[in-house]
Amino acid sequence: MALLLSLSGGNQAMAWILLLHLPTACLQAGNSAGSNRLNAFGVNQPANLSGVQGGSIEIPFSFYFPWELAEDPQMRIFWRWKHFHGEFIYNSSSGFIHEHFKNRLILTWTQPQTSGVLRILDLKEKDQTGYFCRVLLNTREGMKGLQSIAGTQLTITHGISTTMQSPSIITSAVTTAGLEDTEGQRNPSLVNLGAMVGVVLATAVLITPICVLMIFLWRKKR
Ligand SMILES: *[C@@H]1O[C@H](CO)[C@@H](O)[C@H](O)[C@H]1NC(C)=O
Ligand SMILES: *[C@@H]1O[C@H](CO)[C@@H](O)[C@H](O)[C@H]1NC(C)=O
């Protein structure tokens, strides 16, 4: 009797667990790309983004894969535009940037990160199209390629001059840096350096009055 009770109790618990897991199972079955979570791989990026002509935009991306990376993973990021098999506009291994985007693309990503950001500066009307992130990995099972199927559809709007002012300042600062360094890949570190100098300056500005006050109080005490 006691055994029967505990059994039915156990079954009930199992039924609950099944019920709790049902929505997740349905969700996974509904997601065609991820129907088999163990073998899932892909690239995530926003479906739609909108930018202002003359401004800049950030396309975040992240990727996931089931394979174990090789000792030298040789991770590479590429970007295509217009459609899934469209022309390459960016190649992280050669630092190639399509002529149309000269001095206007910055990829913030370093191996072995599985996410990053592509920035497009000084947006043009012709930039309104799809952008597809492609990832190449050296795994223990050989080279593997992943690419976003839907990509990001970028819409360019015509803004008012006041909203365009701050992005154009950033743009000019970065393009000058880009002129000195054709690889373009080093640009993020230059930007980071700028940010670091800013932080150091801000810290100095904050600390100086405190030091002055402390010296003043110390002198007063004596
Ligand atoms: C993206 O935009 C298209 C058309 O502009 C629209 O049909 C679609 O629903 C949008 N997708 C998302 C996820 O917002
Ligand atoms: C990217 O650049 C590397 C090195 O120059 C080259 O071997 C490779 O074919 C390029 N890939 C694409 C997709 O353009």
Side-chain angles (χ1 to χ4, degrees):
M1 190 67 184
L3 187 75
L4 269 174
L5 265 177
S6 76
L7 254 179
S8 69
N11 280 343
Q12 207 170 14
M14 217 142 100
W16 271 113
I17 289 165
L18 277 174
L19 272 174
L20 284 171
H21 279 245
L22 212 59
T24 356
C26 288
L27 275 176
Q28 276 173 10
N31 177 0
S32 55
S35 51
N36 187 350
R37 289 309 290 178
L38 277 177
N39 295 314
F41 60 89
V43 180
N44 291 322
Q45 45 181 110
N48 293 324
L49 280 179
S50 164
V52 179
Q53 196 174 350
S56 63
I57 192 114
E58 293 190 347
I59 310 180
F61 64 93
S62 63
F63 50 95
Y64 54 97
F65 49 87
W67 315 291
E68 213 176 309
L69 289 171
E71 229 163 86
D72 178 14
Q74 297 174 45
M75 290 165 99
R76 285 164 218 166
I77 305 284
F78 308 89
W79 284 85
R80 298 175 122 141
W81 73 332
K82 295 181 180 174
H83 50 89
F84 187 84
H85 296 289
E87 247 182 309
F88 284 95
I89 59 164
Y90 188 93
N91 181 340
S92 76
S93 73
S94 62
F96 164 80
I97 291 176
H98 190 286
E99 189 67 26
H100 176 74
F101 294 96
K102 206 174 172 101
N103 293 325
R104 298 201 295 127
L105 288 189
I106 298 178
L107 184 78
T108 308
W109 169 83
T110 38
Q111 185 177 282
Q113 292 172 340
T114 54
S115 65
V117 171
L118 177 75
R119 275 178 71 200
I120 310 176
L121 309 173
D122 189 17
L123 289 167
K124 315 264 186 231
E125 221 169 335
K126 277 193 174 172
D127 296 350
Q128 177 163 313
T129 183
Y131 294 85
F132 301 80
C133 180
R134 182 169 177 78
V135 180
L136 219 55
L137 308 163
N138 190 17
T139 74
R140 289 190 194 274
E141 294 163 46
M143 278 312 248
K144 302 279 185 187
L146 327 167
Q147 186 174 319
S148 165
I149 292 164
T152 298
Q153 290 300 318
L154 180 58
T155 310
I156 308 293
T157 57
H158 301 267
I160 339 151
S161 56
T162 47
T163 56
M164 278 165 61
Q165 256 163 19
S166 56
S168 62
I169 290 164
I170 297 166
T171 308
S172 60
V174 177
T175 16
T176 2
L179 286 175
E180 293 160 7
D181 171 15
T182 44
E183 274 184 66
Q185 258 177 299
R186 289 199 206 134
N187 283 351
S189 60
L190 280 171
V191 175
N192 284 347
L193 190 73
M196 226 161 82
V197 169
V199 168
V200 168
L201 275 176
T203 314
V205 165
L206 278 175
I207 282 174
T208 315
I210 297 170
C211 286
V212 169
L213 190 73
M214 275 173 79
I215 292 166
F216 175 75
L217 287 174
W218 176 70
R219 280 201 173 167
K220 216 178 158 188
K221 244 187 181 174
R222 290 182 101 210

